[in-house]
Amino acid sequence: MAAPTPPLPEIKLLAPENWREYALLDSGEGKTLERFGPYLLISPEPQAVWKKSLPPAEWQKAHAVLREENKEYGGSWQALKPMPKAWELRYQSLTFQLQLGTSRHIGVFPEQASHWDWIMERVQAERRPLRVLNLFGYSGLATLAAASAGAEVTHVDSSKHALNWASYNLKLSGLADKPVRWIAEDALKFTQREARRGNKYDGLILDPPKFGRGSQGQVWDFFKKLPDLVEACRVVLAPKASFIVFTTYAISASALVTLQAVQDITGNKGKAECGELVTREQSAGHILSHALYTRWTP
Ligand SMILES: C[S@@+](CC[C@H](N)C(=O)[O-])C[C@H]1O[C@@H](n2cnc3c(N)ncnc32)[C@H](O)[C@@H]1O
């Protein structure tokens, strides 16, 4: 008799709820207006395929706008009002520096605050010193969260600039005495070496970009290298591991686009469910996602 088909996983939506100094003020017509402390920034957002809600006067209060004409680094910031190139932002007990530099990224992905809360909870709940590996750690906010809750963190990033930034953020948060190791290396190469050495981690945090470069020019290509990274992570995961957080922005749209289009059509009445259209392989049961959907009933 064939084994029963396991139920399909549910897709859940997570939104951070504890921000005080950050807010997404408005979005629409391909743009977002966000507040990072005292400064308002406008960025392109192709998924904002609806009308803006705030009047133009509110958008005109912005201090800087991300122009995408120079696509080499994903865009460049143009100041609209006087503002510093670097300033501090707080989330709960963490303080970190934001920078308007040569990249579209300014040092924080606000949506990831949901992960920081969860990481802190996981580390505190274990009541033992967890060893955490943070790959592609960038400005270090997940490292700060884990370290502040009592974990020993190994933070890996191929960029010296990102490592300096993350260690500066650790000091800004008053966590300089916490056990954090800074590794300037290709995330895949480092993890494979840790696997060969038999080193284990109780917590894994991964936020691989679509493309990146290792410290010696190794090319990170999400869709080509992920299987190798998954294999190395499988080996370094401790038998009594506590958590894994895997995030990726290597997608171009979300089911929310279809959901909100339907909600705008129906005036947000009735009931809508959204998700992804998938097929399941016969061999190992992997599920492939093909499309995003929303279904509505009154
Ligand atoms: C936080 S990740 C992803 C950022 C964002 N979530 C996105 O997808 O654009 C970006 C970080 O990965 C680092 N990085 C890129 N390629 C890398 C590699 N091969 N090994 C280690 N770190 C890498 C970059 O230096 C950067 O700090």
Side-chain angles (χ1 to χ4, degrees), residues 235-268:
V235 178
V236 300
L237 191 69
K240 290 199 176 149
S242 170
F243 70 89
I244 300 175
V245 190
F246 187 131
T247 312
T248 185
Y249 291 70
I251 51 167
S252 54
S254 143
L256 288 174
V257 170
T258 60
L259 176 68
Q260 291 173 110
V262 169
Q263 285 174 337
D264 286 349
I265 291 168
T266 58
N268 213 355

Side-chain angles (χ1 to χ4, degrees), residues 22-240:
Y22 166 81
L24 171 60
L25 298 175
D26 193 18
S27 67
E29 296 155 52
K31 292 187 168 58
T32 55
L33 176 67
E34 296 168 288
R35 181 170 67 78
F36 294 89
Y39 303 109
L40 307 191
L41 305 183
I42 297 177
S43 305
E45 176 45 79
Q47 292 199 59
V49 286
W50 40 80
K51 292 282 177 196
K52 291 173 180 167
S53 299
L54 290 179
E58 294 301 316
W59 284 75
Q60 281 155 15
K61 290 179 182 165
H63 294 81
V65 58
L66 181 67
R67 302 273 183 218
E68 281 196 313
E69 287 92 60
N70 165 13
K71 273 259 185 175
E72 197 180 343
Y73 297 104
S76 58
W77 288 97
Q78 182 194 346
L80 301 170
K81 296 196 169 56
M83 71 171 290
K85 284 246 178 287
W87 71 104
E88 288 172 17
L89 200 76
R90 276 175 309 216
Y91 179 79
Q92 310 271 52
S93 63
L94 310 179
T95 305
F96 40 92
Q97 188 188 57
L98 302 187
Q99 300 176 0
L100 281 198
T102 51
S103 153
R104 62 180 292 129
H105 301 315
I106 64 169
V108 64
F109 295 88
E111 61 279 10
Q112 295 214 10
S114 304
H115 287 342
W116 310 332
D117 290 347
W118 189 77
I119 290 167
M120 287 188 216
E121 278 167 30
R122 289 303 313 152
V123 174
Q124 279 158 0
E126 285 283 341
R127 296 171 183 277
R128 60 185 169 116
L130 294 190
R131 295 189 70 203
V132 171
L133 178 61
N134 184 8
L135 299 173
F136 308 93
Y138 188 47
S139 57
L141 304 188
T143 289
L144 269 51
S148 73
E152 269 173 41
V153 187
T154 300
H155 174 113
V156 184
D157 198 291
S158 55
S159 149
K160 290 245 164 68
H161 172 70
L163 286 183
N164 289 337
W165 195 354
S167 84
Y168 181 74
N169 285 338
L170 195 76
K171 287 188 202 101
L172 270 186
S173 295
L175 301 169
D177 59 331
K178 299 290 177 191
V180 176
R181 263 198 315 161
W182 306 106
I183 311 283
E185 220 186 308
D186 178 55
L188 173 60
K189 203 172 143 206
F190 176 77
T191 312
Q192 287 174 329
R193 205 167 53 245
E194 288 292 83
R196 283 196 298 277
R197 286 175 182 146
N199 286 335
K200 302 282 180 193
Y201 292 89
D202 307 298
L204 297 181
I205 303 168
L206 305 91
D207 183 6
K210 205 164 168 185
F211 292 105
R213 289 260 172 209
S215 52
Q216 281 143 12
Q218 300 96 334
V219 175
W220 167 259
D221 177 333
F222 183 91
F223 294 100
K224 290 193 178 139
K225 297 286 184 76
L226 191 62
D228 292 339
L229 185 61
V230 165
E231 175 55 21
C233 286
R234 187 186 66 73
V235 178
V236 300
L237 191 69
K240 290 199 176 149

